[in-house]
Every structure is written in C-alpha cells, then in structure tokens.
Amino acid sequence: MTSEITLFVNPTAGRGRGAHAAQPAASAFRAAGFSVRTVLGEDAADGLARARAAVADGTGALVAVGGDGMANLALQAVAGTDTPFGLVPVGTGNDFARALGLPLGDPAAAARLTADALNEDRLRAVDLGRVDGTWFGTVLASGFDSRVNDRGNRMRLPVGRFKYDLAMLAELAAFRPFAYRLTLDGGETREIEATLVAVGNGSSYGGGMRICPGADLGDGLFDITVVGNCGRATLLTVFPKVYRGTHVDHSVVTVHRAARVELVAAGVTGYADGEPLGALPLTAECIPGAVRVALP
C-alpha cells in the first residue's frame, strides 16, 4: 500500500468540529509514517468528484473525517474498489462509526487506531447496502421516522437535534400508519399496515437508536424491522425502547432477514445514513464485503 492517504474532510460536521478535527487527525497519520493529502470540496458533488479522483489515482486509503453524511459520501467513492476506507468520527450521529467499533469524541485517537490498522494491514471487508447504485452503511429508514426527517429538514429553526424533536411531536399529532408492500428476496409480496420499516445493514441510526439491534455488517443480510399498525400511545411506549434495542420484544414489532428488500408505499421518502434517497418504491440489496475498512 502506498504511504499516501487522503483525508476527506467535512469542515461543518458536528457544528464545525470537522474542521478542528482535521489537523490532529492529519498529525496522527503523519506521526505513523503516512503522507497526507486533504480533500475538502466546494460542495458535496465537488467533494465526491475529488474523492473519486484520489481513489482512481491510487491513494493508499480514503479516510472520512466527519459524521454519517460524510461517511456515506466517502462510501460512494470507495465502495467496490480495493482502496481501504477509514473513518474519524466527529459528527452528531456517528452510527457507522458505532457499527465499526470506532472511538467517538476523540479524533486523534480514532486516527491513530486507523493508522495502526493500515500499517498492520488489519482490514475487514464489510457489507454495504445499495439502492440504485447508491451505497449506505447503516440503515434505510422509511415511514414515521423518514417523515420526521422530511419535516425537520424543512424547518429553519431551531438548529441542532432539537429541531427533530419538534418535528417528531408534529408528526405524532398527524400520525397515521402507511400501507406498504414488502417483498423479501423476491418471494411473496406482503401487504401490511406499518408505522415504519427500517432496513438495517448496521444496527443504529439517529445517534445510537438501535432500530435493528441484531444487524451484522458481515453476514450478507439485512435485518428488517417492521413496526406494525399501532396508535400514538403504543408508539410512544415502543419508541423510547429503541435506544436499548428492546423494542423488538414488543408484539407490534417484527424482524425479518433478507439480502434483497423491495419497499412500496405512497407518500414515503427513503433515507439511508440520514441522507434522502428519494420516494418509495425502492429496492435495497445487501452487497457482501463491499468495502475494506481499517478497524481498531
């Protein structure tokens, strides 16, 4: 592996922590013997073009510095290639970093562990989800949770996570279940009324909400969590349990496993790694060993 690595930096991640994290991360890689090239980009499209160019030029690794959105953008450049992927988590969610077992809140430590893994060739091929050519590492969300995202993204104030708390309250007031058609691995299509359907390559979204607690990045399968037709009171009972992953024990929740999931529902947007994919219908495939990750 070449001794040059590329830091793919989101300067606005974590309300500006991305820019501050880039310097200690770069210092840690240089101390480990790497030369460091930094890629910023004027916007997401420009950044992705630059990251793809670095991969095409043979960079030794592409290391994202940021949150789940930045990790997702980096995956579009590195998935399906032999270039190793690294992650220095400094965002507000960091669910892909959680799935990979990376330390949170200490960019220098994450960079040192990643540098050691690259030097020692400790790379693990992990699964990714793919929807119409777009890759994701954690969860494809649809239904109530994606409606909260829709509303939160439209709100200018307040800033930060409180905006999504308000969006959740507003969506609860207007809550209704959705009519889904769900097809797993090309089998029989199930017509169901559901509050949400989450397709998990990783186990969590939203900063540690373990919506698919049994998901495994190395089994070649999604865990699909279906929260069925329920009223507001039941939803308010079930939702807090998501942080511990114990919601799956509730009678209104079912879990399936499949490598291919077809989702159809009217008026529902799909989000993967917190990024909008577009309106359903969507088909997600689990691609085994799609990216080589430097792990502690």
Side-chain angles (χ1 to χ4, degrees):
M1 184 186 78
T2 176
S3 62
E4 181 193 83
I5 62 103
T6 300
L7 287 187
F8 189 31
V9 181
N10 180 1
T12 64
R15 300 183 194 175
R17 290 196 300 272
H20 295 294
Q23 184 173 351
S27 296
F29 280 107
R30 290 189 181 105
F34 292 95
S35 60
V36 177
R37 171 187 177 188
T38 300
V39 167
L40 292 171
E42 296 179 4
D43 52 29
D46 181 57
L48 178 55
R50 293 170 186 260
R52 282 176 166 155
V55 170
D57 288 345
T59 187
L62 184 68
V63 181
V65 181
D68 287 321
M70 197 61 179
N72 178 273
L73 195 61
L75 289 176
Q76 310 314 310
V78 77
T81 75
D82 290 330
T83 302
F85 169 76
L87 180 58
V88 176
V90 292
T92 53
N94 297 319
D95 288 291
F96 197 41
R98 284 184 175 87
L100 296 173
L102 292 166
L104 307 181
D106 191 339
R112 285 193 298 270
L113 289 169
T114 301
D116 289 344
L118 291 170
N119 274 327
E120 297 168 14
D121 201 28
R122 280 189 281 108
L123 303 174
R124 176 187 169 194
V126 303
D127 305 341
L128 294 176
R130 186 173 63 190
V131 176
D132 292 332
T134 298
W135 301 91
F136 67 93
T138 57
V139 177
L140 190 169
S142 73
F144 176 76
D145 43 8
S146 65
R147 280 289 184 89
V148 170
N149 257 328
D150 285 341
R151 185 181 289 269
N153 290 342
R154 294 194 300 268
M155 294 168 62
R156 301 183 107 187
L157 293 173
V159 298
R161 294 194 62 80
F162 186 53
K163 174 170 64 175
Y164 293 94
D165 293 336
L166 289 181
M168 181 179 292
L169 291 175
E171 284 301 319
L172 274 171
F175 172 73
R176 61 173 177 78
F178 304 93
Y180 278 91
R181 294 204 304 274
L182 175 66
T183 309
L184 305 179
D185 288 334
E188 180 182 353
T189 297
R190 312 170 193 213
E191 297 191 1
I192 58 175
E193 295 282 320
T195 301
L196 65 86
V197 178
V199 180
N201 183 57
S203 61
S204 70
Y205 63 4
M209 300 171 70
R210 301 183 65 233
I211 187 68
C212 300
D216 183 339
L217 293 178
D219 66 358
L221 297 171
F222 293 126
D223 273 34
I224 302 102
T225 298
V226 178
V227 179
N229 186 352
C230 63
R232 293 185 188 90
T234 300
L235 183 58
L236 287 170
T237 298
V238 170
F239 216 76
K241 297 180 179 181
V242 172
Y243 287 96
R244 300 187 303 275
T246 57
H247 62 292
V248 296
D249 298 326
H250 196 283
S251 60
V252 79
V253 179
T254 55
V255 177
H256 311 274
R257 289 187 171 87
R260 179 183 172 91
V261 183
E262 299 171 51
L263 292 173
V264 180
V268 176
T269 302
Y271 283 79
D273 294 342
E275 302 297 313
L277 284 174
L280 272 57
L282 294 171
T283 298
E285 297 177 280
C286 185
I287 308 301
V291 64
R292 297 197 304 153
V293 181
L295 293 179

